[in-house]
Amino acid sequence: MRLIESRTTFVLTYTALAILLLITLFPIALLVLNSLKPATQIVQSPLAWPETYRWDNFVRAWNDARFGTTMLNSAMLAAMTIVLVCSTGSLTAYVLARRKIKSWKIVTFYLLATTTAPIQLFLFPLYFGFAKLGLINNVFAVSLIYTAIYSPFAVMLLRTYFLAVPKELEEAALIDGATHWQVFSKVMLPIVSPGILTVALIIGLYSWNEFLIATTFLQRTDRLTAVVSFFLLSGQYTSDWGEIMAAALIIVLPVIVLFVALQRRFIEGMAGGSVKG
Amino acid sequence: MHRLYLIPTLLINVVIIFIPAALTIALAFCRWDGIGTPVFIGLANFRQLFADRVFWMALGNNIIWTAIFLTVPIAMGLLAATMMLIARRGSAFFQVIYFLPMVIATAITARVWQGMIYSPLTGIAGLVTRAGFPVPNPLTQPSTALYGIAVVDLWHWWGFLCVIFFAALRQVPQEQIEAARIEGASFWQMLRYVLLPGIRPTITLMMIMTIIWSFLVFDFVYILTQGGPAFSSEVLSTLAYRSAFYDLAVGKAAAVAVVISLFGLATTAFYIRLQAKEFDQ
């Protein structure tokens, strides 16, 4: 659609949009700028340009936050969650989109209801139960929790992709003698693969950034995720903010690069999934 | 046959969410330290809670939080989305930047604001103070701590709403807008009588989700103030978390969790009734 307005409206509009842009970018700019500065210069002014570029901030951040280990933990956690959510979610989404079972309505409603449940409603018995079973500090166990929490979102998003596939395609394959499983895995899955990629990206992002579950269930130093490790590093009393911002940039940079490169998938997936859900 | 396809999702969901949730509801009526055997104590947890000043402060803070997030980010998002509709050129670019804070981990966003903006030593607040305009750190004052946290969450959140509203606004039928323009509607009239009614279902849904999410808010409060100073920024979710893991009063924590869930449940029920009503019309 198009609104044609007067010149003044245009100028006002762009000014307001630019101000919002600056507000959004300002804290991010502070993050990048101060990651390069020595702590002493940050105390003088967080706004000043670096007098000397302290690239060693990144080396110290990498070592102190033990990113060699913790980033690997985060990556493994994200990868396991992506595989679990995409495989189990696409099965469920297919059945619910095609109404393959009579109780599709009840199942859909149940999954939607769990998205509005507060984490605290199941966190405490889950924690003490996992503790009894020796599953604390177990990355796979945490990926199962993420799968339970993120699956309803993934199912609702994938459902819309399955709905867009013409029914005739499925019927033709069945007439040609394909089994139900072949119809799903050989016909449907390849068609909805863009949807699965979108879900994988968003689930990866959520698990990479997640804090509450990770800080509760992964506490041993060699099992921490990158974000929790950053949280602990920045919580120490005598803190060098140059180093802390460098650590923040190390975690955020891959995310921002991926987001900018694949912005449409991220935005449509995150915004679409929550609206249509 | 197709029923089997649902088993993985449902099995994980039931084991991780449904059974523990049912146990939480049961625990709300018990005294339990997380290790021994739970002891049934009836409504004592709730009675204790209702007599607890901190519980009412936390509940009050959740309500303030809901009020802030029902107004400020929704107004900002609607206004920016409408302006992006006018601007057209560059709207894709604005959209990406406004959305950017959503992909940054909450722990990082919190620390950047804490250290680089609010800190009297290393932040903008300190810089302004040294220039002769004293600005106290909002996170360390009982009267402002909650609002200091809310600003951080607003920064992180409003762009998401903006993007959703922008997507909805683009779906408003062209004919309605044309008709309004032929009638000579001004910008505000267009907004009031064409655009806002056109995306009302989206606004309603976002308001409902805002209420539900406002009772779940945890990360920013826990990282920035841990509910302090003197419980002034405590919310129900941090109260529950601390009760369970710091005081080992799991029964009390479960009772708080049940209270949070009741608010979510009431909101959802209200939404379903609203939907049904609109369906009847």
Side-chain angles (χ1 to χ4, degrees):
Chain A
M1 67 154 277
R2 186 182 202 95
L3 294 172
I4 300 158
E5 302 293 338
S6 69
R7 239 194 131 73
T8 28
T9 320
F10 256 112
V11 173
L12 279 176
T13 302
Y14 274 107
T15 314
L17 287 175
I19 291 170
L20 287 170
L21 199 76
L22 287 179
I23 294 174
T24 306
L25 289 178
F26 183 63
I28 300 171
L30 282 176
L31 190 169
V32 177
L33 191 64
N34 288 296
S35 70
L36 291 165
K37 284 172 15 186
T40 46
Q41 206 204 335
I42 298 175
V43 174
Q44 282 162 20
S45 167
L47 283 175
W49 197 256
E51 280 163 9
T52 48
Y53 294 102
R54 291 294 294 268
W55 298 105
D56 64 307
N57 279 350
F58 291 92
V59 179
R60 280 181 298 125
W62 184 274
N63 292 330
D64 289 350
R66 298 157 32 83
F67 278 144
T69 311
T70 54
M71 292 262 258
L72 195 66
N73 289 341
S74 284
M76 269 170 41
L77 182 56
M80 280 194 271
T81 311
I82 288 171
V83 170
L84 278 169
V85 169
C86 288
S87 55
T88 64
S90 56
L91 284 166
T92 306
Y94 169 62
V95 173
L96 295 182
R98 283 290 185 253
R99 304 185 179 178
K100 293 286 186 191
I101 53 159
K102 274 190 198 140
S103 51
W104 68 273
K105 255 187 180 163
I106 303 168
V107 175
T108 309
F109 184 80
Y110 169 76
L111 289 177
L112 278 179
T114 58
T115 60
T116 60
I119 288 178
Q120 277 81 3
L121 187 62
F122 52 87
L123 183 68
F124 311 126
L126 197 62
Y127 177 84
F128 293 107
F130 273 25
K132 267 210 182 96
L133 298 171
L135 291 175
I136 305 297
N137 296 318
N138 184 322
V139 176
F140 180 70
V142 174
S143 79
L144 281 175
I145 304 178
Y146 285 174
T147 304
I149 296 173
Y150 301 143
S151 278
F153 156 80
V155 168
M156 294 310 148
L157 189 61
L158 284 173
R159 214 181 117 249
T160 60
Y161 284 88
F162 278 111
L163 282 173
V165 182
K167 271 223 165 87
E168 291 74 27
L169 223 59
E170 218 179 327
E171 282 156 11
L174 282 173
I175 290 166
D176 286 347
T179 63
H180 283 292
W181 174 253
Q182 281 170 331
V183 169
F184 171 75
S185 61
K186 298 269 163 61
V187 180
M188 300 300 271
L189 273 192
I191 301 177
V192 300
S193 56
I196 294 180
L197 180 61
T198 303
V199 167
L201 280 172
I202 293 168
I203 298 303
L205 173 75
Y206 284 167
S207 352
W208 183 264
N209 284 349
E210 204 279 338
F211 176 73
L212 169 57
I213 304 277
T215 193
T216 310
F217 286 84
L218 300 172
Q219 295 175 336
R220 216 168 72 195
T221 43
D222 63 332
R223 293 293 160 82
L224 299 177
T225 64
V227 164
V228 175
S229 177
F230 165 82
F231 169 72
L232 295 174
L233 173 81
S234 55
Q236 284 154 2
Y237 236 71
T238 49
S239 31
D240 170 352
W241 280 92
E243 182 187 348
I244 293 171
M245 288 301 107
L249 194 58
I250 292 173
I251 298 176
V252 162
L253 201 60
V255 172
I256 290 186
V257 169
L258 213 60
F259 171 70
V260 171
L262 300 163
Q263 28 165 301
R264 286 195 69 165
R265 276 182 193 283
F266 275 104
I267 291 181
E268 274 166 27
M270 285 167 83
S274 66
V275 173
K276 284 170 203 144
Chain B
M1 167 60 203
H2 277 116
R3 225 167 281 169
L4 293 176
Y5 289 23
L6 294 178
I7 289 179
T9 299
L10 289 182
L11 187 71
I12 295 173
N13 198 289
V14 166
V15 171
I16 303 285
I17 296 181
F18 187 79
I19 296 173
L23 286 172
T24 301
I25 295 170
L27 281 172
F29 303 97
C30 298
R31 186 172 53 233
W32 192 41
D33 57 3
I35 299 152
T37 325
V39 183
F40 181 79
I41 50 168
L43 289 172
N45 281 325
F46 291 95
R47 230 173 282 135
Q48 248 170 41
L49 221 51
F50 296 153
D52 186 354
R53 197 179 55 90
V54 175
F55 169 78
W56 291 110
M57 269 171 86
L59 183 60
N61 282 341
N62 272 116
I63 291 169
I64 295 172
W65 193 274
T66 310
I68 294 173
F69 280 82
L70 272 179
T71 49
V72 183
I74 290 184
M76 277 173 81
L78 276 174
L79 212 61
T82 322
M83 291 191 299
M84 271 157 59
L85 208 60
I86 297 172
R88 266 187 80 86
R89 223 170 251 274
S91 63
F93 169 72
F94 285 120
Q95 174 166 264
V96 170
I97 303 292
Y98 295 161
F99 199 84
L100 196 55
M102 270 299 278
V103 303
I104 298 176
T106 49
I108 288 173
T109 299
R111 288 298 192 226
V112 170
W113 276 81
Q114 203 171 20
M116 299 289 101
I117 293 174
Y118 287 154
S119 164
L121 201 65
T122 55
I124 299 295
L127 190 69
V128 176
T129 305
R130 285 194 295 279
F133 306 95
V135 182
N137 181 351
L139 299 177
T140 55
Q141 314 289 322
S143 57
T144 53
L146 187 70
Y147 303 100
I149 303 165
V151 168
V152 181
D153 204 347
L154 274 174
W155 177 82
H156 156 89
W157 173 243
W158 79 273
F160 176 75
L161 288 176
C162 174
V163 167
I164 286 179
F165 290 144
F166 183 57
L169 280 173
R170 282 195 293 191
Q171 311 280 320
V172 174
Q174 183 70 48
E175 305 85 62
Q176 289 182 16
I177 295 162
E178 282 301 325
R181 189 173 303 124
I182 290 166
E183 302 275 323
S186 73
F187 169 72
W188 292 109
Q189 283 171 327
M190 182 80 85
L191 188 65
R192 169 78 182 75
Y193 296 105
V194 180
L195 297 178
L196 288 188
I199 62 163
R200 222 190 62 190
T202 306
I203 300 175
T204 313
L205 180 64
M206 282 302 110
M207 292 183 99
I208 296 289
M209 295 317 285
T210 299
I211 300 174
I212 293 173
W213 287 327
S214 294
F215 278 90
L216 308 186
V217 54
F218 178 86
D219 284 18
F220 283 123
V221 179
Y222 183 76
I223 296 168
L224 288 172
T225 66
Q226 307 240 326
F231 305 111
S232 59
S233 62
E234 189 85 284
V235 287
L236 291 174
S237 65
T238 52
L239 175 65
Y241 194 86
R242 256 185 326 100
S243 304
F245 294 125
Y246 295 24
D247 311 337
L248 290 176
V250 185
K252 180 186 168 192
V256 177
V258 168
V259 172
I260 302 175
S261 310
L262 285 179
F263 278 100
L265 208 63
T267 316
T268 312
F270 172 74
Y271 180 61
I272 290 171
R273 273 196 59 181
L274 208 72
Q275 289 290 81
K277 237 184 219 163
E278 236 156 64
F279 213 73
D280 288 340
Q281 278 171 4

